[in-house]
Amino acid sequence: MPPLDPQLRAALAAAGGRAREALTPEGLTAWQERDAAARPRPSLDRLRDGGRFAVEELRVPRADGEGEVTLVSARPAGAGEELPLLYYLHGGGMVTGNAWSVLPRLLRGWALPLGLAVVSVEYRLAPGTRFPGAVEDCYAGLVRVADQAGALGVDPRRVVIGGKSAGGGLAAALALLARDRGGPTTIGQLLLSPMLDDRGDTFSSHQLAGHDTWDRTSNATAWQALLGDRYGAADLSPYAAPARATDLSGLPPAYVDVGSAETFRDEAVGYADAIWRAGGEAELHVWPGACHGFDTLAPQAALTGDAHEARTRWLRRVLRR
């Protein structure tokens, strides 16, 4: 397997065996319970950080009529003008995570320095909700944000969709869905270690089996939870697994990054290549020696700083167009 970055190797060793524990169908419930305990939802008061940010929750009816989608809207306090928006979809393998816990990092890292508003989506998780529930939740929220941009203080001409891991896959699917439905226009898609392909047959998926922090066993478990009896179907929708798409033309510019020592390496590289082949724009970064979730595992590592700077430069450049 590709060598790990020394700082990431040390962080993995410090984290112990749990960092490489595989998610299995039998262990899914316990995995979800541990994640909920380790990643509690911060209160709105805590997210406001003593008045540095204006934060509110919005409710959007779901397309299937089954309740509402919660959106957490945040922006630097006192920003009077319409701000560009990062419409963000959290990670967690489609089975864990929440819209609130990702916000402190997004607000400190991008909202303040770039003058961004952020909307984080609380989409439904598998296996409680199968495809297409999550991506339809994300689409319903995007439509509402575009419709109410003025009231939210958001510039509808400068919306970037983005996400990490499962959220990166959802962001890619959302770009396809918005294109095909003639939905809201976005100016970029920020795809961080995106979960794109249910088939698990890439070289990196086999190469990193048993080594990456999210390996082919965990990935197969998550896809099975999302797709149920549609898992592995020959005609699976690209809105479920964007790597299945045969037409990647007409999409907003993409930023794709992934680690060289990561299960998702080859599907992410292949997706950027497919965008180029379709005549589109993609910026691809493969971080040497990085495993899945390296920036969360080792936030002080040099590689994490380099990745944050590259992502920030791309965001700034896209927003200034």
Side-chain angles (χ1 to χ4, degrees), residues 162-256:
K164 183 178 178 181
S165 191
L170 281 169
L174 185 57
L176 292 167
L177 200 58
R179 178 198 66 183
D180 295 345
R181 290 182 178 174
T185 299
T186 57
I187 62 168
Q189 47 179 331
L190 180 72
L191 312 180
L192 309 179
S193 294
M195 180 178 171
L196 299 166
D197 197 340
D198 65 299
R199 293 166 292 191
D201 58 3
T202 63
F203 184 87
S204 60
S205 174
H206 291 278
Q207 183 185 34
L208 278 301
H211 298 289
D212 193 14
T213 53
W214 181 263
D215 78 345
R216 62 183 288 106
T217 298
S218 299
N219 202 41
T221 300
W223 280 110
Q224 288 166 13
L226 177 68
L227 300 174
D229 60 10
R230 296 291 296 155
Y231 174 61
D235 60 346
L236 185 68
S237 168
Y239 309 139
R244 301 286 201 117
T246 57
D247 177 13
L248 293 181
S249 63
L251 295 174
Y255 179 99
V256 184

Side-chain angles (χ1 to χ4, degrees), residues 51-252:
R52 293 175 78 195
F53 303 101
V55 184
E56 62 177 327
E57 293 178 0
L58 311 172
R59 304 288 191 280
V60 178
R62 292 193 174 108
D64 59 13
E66 296 185 7
E68 297 176 313
V69 185
T70 298
L71 309 177
V72 189
S73 174
R75 57 194 281 125
E81 72 277 15
E82 289 186 342
L83 299 181
L85 173 69
L86 175 61
Y87 186 80
Y88 193 81
L89 315 175
H90 68 79
M94 302 299 300
V95 296
T96 63
N98 66 76
W100 293 262
S101 61
V102 295
L103 275 170
R105 190 172 181 181
L106 295 173
L107 293 175
R108 289 193 307 270
W110 286 327
L112 277 179
L114 296 179
L116 270 179
V118 178
V119 168
S120 184
V121 185
E122 181 68 352
Y123 57 84
R124 287 172 288 179
L125 300 176
T129 298
R130 308 269 193 200
F131 171 79
V135 71
E136 290 290 359
D137 288 352
C138 298
Y139 185 77
L142 182 65
V143 170
R144 177 58 64 90
V145 166
D147 288 345
Q148 297 187 353
L152 294 172
V154 167
D155 183 349
R157 300 163 301 176
R158 291 190 294 164
V159 176
V160 174
I161 54 178
K164 183 178 178 181
S165 191
L170 281 169
L174 185 57
L176 292 167
L177 200 58
R179 178 198 66 183
D180 295 345
R181 290 182 178 174
T185 299
T186 57
I187 62 168
Q189 47 179 331
L190 180 72
L191 312 180
L192 309 179
S193 294
M195 180 178 171
L196 299 166
D197 197 340
D198 65 299
R199 293 166 292 191
D201 58 3
T202 63
F203 184 87
S204 60
S205 174
H206 291 278
Q207 183 185 34
L208 278 301
H211 298 289
D212 193 14
T213 53
W214 181 263
D215 78 345
R216 62 183 288 106
T217 298
S218 299
N219 202 41
T221 300
W223 280 110
Q224 288 166 13
L226 177 68
L227 300 174
D229 60 10
R230 296 291 296 155
Y231 174 61
D235 60 346
L236 185 68
S237 168
Y239 309 139
R244 301 286 201 117
T246 57
D247 177 13
L248 293 181
S249 63
L251 295 174

